[in-house]
Amino acid sequence: MSPEWTIEDWLSRLARREVSARDTVGFYLDRIRRLDPQLRAFLEYDPGDALNQADAADRALAGGTTHQKKPLLGIPVAIKDNLAVRGHPLRCASRILGDFRSPYDATVIEKLRQAGAILLGRLNMDEFAMGSSTENSAFGPTRNPWDLQRTPGGSSGGSAAAVAARECPAALGSDTGGSIRQPAAFCGCVGLKPTYGRVSRYGLVAFASSLDQIGPLAGTVRDTARLLQIIAGHDPRDATSLPDAVPDYLSELDKGVRGLRLGLPREYFAEGLDPQIREAVMAAVRQLTNLGAEVLEVSLPHTPYALATYYVIATAEASTNLARFDGIRYGLRVDGQDPLELYERTRGAGFGSEVKRRIILGTFVLSSGYYDAYYLRAQKVRTLIRRDFLEAFQKVDALVTPATPTPAFRLGEKVSDPLQMYLSDIFTLSCNLAGICGLSLPCGLTREPQLPIGLQLLGPPLGEATLLRIAYAYEQSTPWHKVLPPVARGTSEAALAAASS
Ligand code: GLN
């Protein structure tokens, strides 16, 4: 058994009965036990529960259940702390949920179970998915497996760190403005934000409902496609979920990029982009050209307004969504003389400072007298941003950009400057505003220190198959997906010590 094994590798060995699901789960539990005291990607994992699920998978395999029927039978998957798993704590890395436990499974969890996956545990994140570094978690930050002094990104930083260190072969995250793609880029794994509506949000704790999407993170493009295949599809319990049939993502992977047209949006290669990232992305573009893609420059002229637009809309929606955490209905309660005092005390004690900042900003932009100037205007600009993309997709099949302006920054480096923190999502936010799909995959390492660089592909609504196909062609012709972070390669104490020094 090896950390290099992909889901694909595990599946073929499970099918041939060379390993059992118990071996598989045991392998990852052992890695979590050894690596996670440093990384802190997991908020909760229950070895007994995971091994019980593994035994059930082994019984199914022995009884002749195939991977045709249950495509993830025996495969462990870890889950971001904002997705409901029945009977398990659901905290969104916040104190305000107290010891709340989910009364039901999210649709994506139901689908993973039906596919035979084993739920391995719950992953750290920025509180309520607000942040880009996991430093806003009420339970302390996760560390980047490439450099323990650096952030794994956020808000799905636990998901990305756990996958990059191979504490699990795949994870689910959520992406409202980049929270899957930015940490995937910082940690060197693949992360996909599906088109708005492609994956049901039922059972995802809402941050900004018109922007949130659940998506997979994995070590390879094929494994990412495999996960998307399971979680995508219409769900009557999410009114925004799309009725469109789910294509066979895996069978489309090998089609190559010959004949595809790729756009380089001028605005994404401007000032502020780290030169080593620019270099790596341009090398990736040359590689895609070598593989037969045609590349042209395009423009998304409203890009400079994306950040401001996002922070008006996301905070407005957050302020209303988070009104439900009132000390009456969920988790934490700090009593008061009257209901108002109870709300104030509970929310004052339960929310962290970034969440409070968002609620205050969001309440302000929605308040009478300011609504037209901020919220309504932001909605109009959002339409312009979406239009930019739809126009570009008249000319090209997908867009190629850097995923982040810089590689993973140091823990503590941006915590006191919210605007600096917000800027780390500058290349990922627009995708959510436009409702389109986006993927990040590794395309290189910076020199001294060696840190992963992410290549972002953006596609039209329901263009996931095209993104995965481009990503796969690139991945298969380059070595980056095979380079694991130092902590993941050697599992010895010495390797860990070397990485943390
Ligand atoms: N970092 C962005 C924010 O703080 C995006 C977060 C996300 O995608 N959940 O809002």
Side-chain angles (χ1 to χ4, degrees):
M1 293 185 283
S2 156
E4 262 100 48
W5 286 7
T6 62
I7 293 181
E8 185 100 340
D9 296 325
W10 287 108
L11 284 173
S12 60
R13 271 126 177 144
L14 283 163
R16 292 199 300 266
R17 314 294 300 282
E18 290 169 20
V19 297
S20 64
R22 186 170 252 271
D23 297 333
T24 309
V25 168
F27 176 81
Y28 286 108
L29 285 174
D30 182 54
R31 291 182 67 78
I32 296 171
R33 224 171 274 132
R34 281 191 284 145
L35 296 175
D36 217 57
Q38 280 79 13
L39 294 176
R40 301 196 170 276
F42 280 83
L43 290 180
E44 184 222 358
Y45 71 100
D46 178 347
D49 177 53
L51 289 169
N52 283 340
Q53 296 176 67
D55 291 343
D58 281 327
R59 282 193 298 276
L61 285 161
T65 306
T66 63
H67 288 124
Q68 212 86 26
K69 198 158 163 249
K70 286 186 180 282
L72 293 177
L73 187 56
I75 302 295
V77 177
I79 307 296
K80 188 174 179 178
D81 195 33
N82 57 356
L83 287 162
V85 177
R86 196 162 84 187
H88 284 260
L90 174 60
R91 295 186 292 190
C92 301
S94 179
R95 298 204 183 282
I96 202 148
L97 275 133
D99 52 10
F100 181 78
R101 283 174 186 263
S102 306
Y104 63 84
D105 276 339
T107 297
V108 290
I109 299 299
E110 225 169 57
K111 285 178 177 252
L112 283 180
R113 287 195 204 273
Q114 276 160 14
I118 289 156
L119 304 174
L120 200 54
R122 304 187 63 77
L123 296 161
N124 200 13
M125 57 186 279
D126 287 293
E127 184 177 7
F128 285 104
M130 297 172 192
S132 310
S133 68
T134 73
E135 289 165 297
N136 295 336
S137 166
F139 308 110
T142 297
R143 290 164 185 274
N144 190 314
W146 287 86
D147 176 347
L148 298 176
Q149 307 310 321
R150 287 176 194 264
T151 162
S155 64
S156 311
S159 307
V163 170
R166 299 299 190 271
E167 293 179 329
C168 54
L172 291 186
S174 68
D175 189 314
T176 304
S179 277
I180 290 174
R181 292 159 289 153
Q182 185 256 22
F186 277 11
C187 293
C189 54
V190 183
L192 171 74
K193 185 207 89 79
T195 304
Y196 187 73
R198 177 73 293 184
V199 174
S200 167
R201 291 180 294 112
Y202 181 76
L204 167 70
V205 177
F207 160 14
S209 311
S210 77
L211 301 160
D212 299 339
Q213 265 293 285
I214 300 166
L217 296 97
T220 64
V221 174
R222 186 179 284 275
D223 285 354
T224 306
R226 212 175 270 284
L227 263 284
L228 180 65
Q229 195 74 50
I230 304 300
I231 62 173
H234 181 247
D235 178 11
R237 291 175 297 190
D238 172 1
T240 62
S241 113
L242 295 169
D244 306 67
V246 179
D248 185 346
Y249 296 114
L250 287 169
S251 72
E252 304 247 327
L253 282 183
D254 299 321
K255 288 190 174 161
V257 293
R258 191 160 298 284
L260 289 184
R261 298 171 70 120
L262 306 178
L264 297 185
R266 190 176 305 142
E267 295 78 5
Y268 284 63
F269 294 86
E271 213 187 316
L273 176 60
D274 182 290
Q276 293 191 64
I277 295 188
R278 180 195 302 269
E279 205 179 291
V281 170
M282 291 320 290
V285 170
R286 283 195 296 281
Q287 179 62 12
L288 287 163
T289 316
N290 293 339
L291 295 170
E294 192 189 324
V295 176
L296 48 147
E297 196 178 283
V298 296
S299 174
L300 302 166
H302 294 93
T303 299
Y305 306 109
L307 189 78
T309 306
Y310 172 86
Y311 277 97
V312 171
I313 293 174
T315 56
E317 294 183 13
S319 73
T320 57
N321 274 325
L322 271 56
R324 74 194 60 176
F325 302 106
D326 53 7
I328 307 288
R329 283 174 283 189
Y330 302 92
L332 184 76
R333 174 177 302 173
V334 185
D335 252 321
Q337 301 281 333
D338 51 44
L340 203 62
E341 198 175 272
L342 182 151
Y343 300 153
E344 277 174 10
R345 286 191 178 168
T346 303
R347 289 166 69 84
F351 287 135
S353 58
E354 181 62 24
V355 174
K356 285 178 187 158
R357 174 165 28 245
R358 305 277 180 120
I359 292 172
I360 292 167
L361 268 171
T363 307
F364 175 72
V365 299
L366 289 174
S367 59
S368 83
Y370 294 100
Y371 181 93
D372 287 6
Y374 294 108
Y375 187 70
L376 193 66
R377 182 166 302 178
Q379 290 291 15
K380 290 178 181 171
V381 180
R382 180 177 189 175
T383 302
L384 296 175
I385 290 169
R386 178 171 166 88
R387 221 178 266 163
D388 280 356
F389 279 103
L390 299 184
E391 269 167 34
F393 291 130
Q394 300 286 322
K395 292 186 234 135
V396 296
D397 298 289
L399 299 165
V400 182
T401 82
T404 59
T406 67
F409 46 89
R410 286 198 179 72
L411 290 163
E413 192 177 324
K414 297 182 198 270
V415 267
S416 55
D417 186 345
L419 191 59
Q420 276 306 315
M421 190 69 92
Y422 297 173
L423 280 166
S424 72
D425 292 308
I426 191 84
F427 298 144
T428 47
L429 302 163
S430 299
C431 169
N432 303 69
L433 288 168
I436 60 173
C437 55
L439 177 152
S440 172
L441 80 162
C443 73
L445 292 172
T446 60
R447 301 173 286 269
E448 295 165 50
Q450 282 208 324
L451 297 169
I453 299 173
L455 180 72
Q456 180 175 236
L457 304 173
L458 297 171
L462 299 179
E464 286 83 359
T466 310
L467 294 190
L468 289 163
R469 174 180 157 190
I470 300 166
Y472 187 69
Y474 174 78
E475 179 194 75
Q476 292 303 303
S477 68
T478 53
W480 307 117
H481 62 294
K482 294 198 181 127
V483 195
L484 297 187
V487 280
R489 284 176 223 154
T491 44
S492 66
E493 297 305 314
L496 266 176
S500 51
S501 69

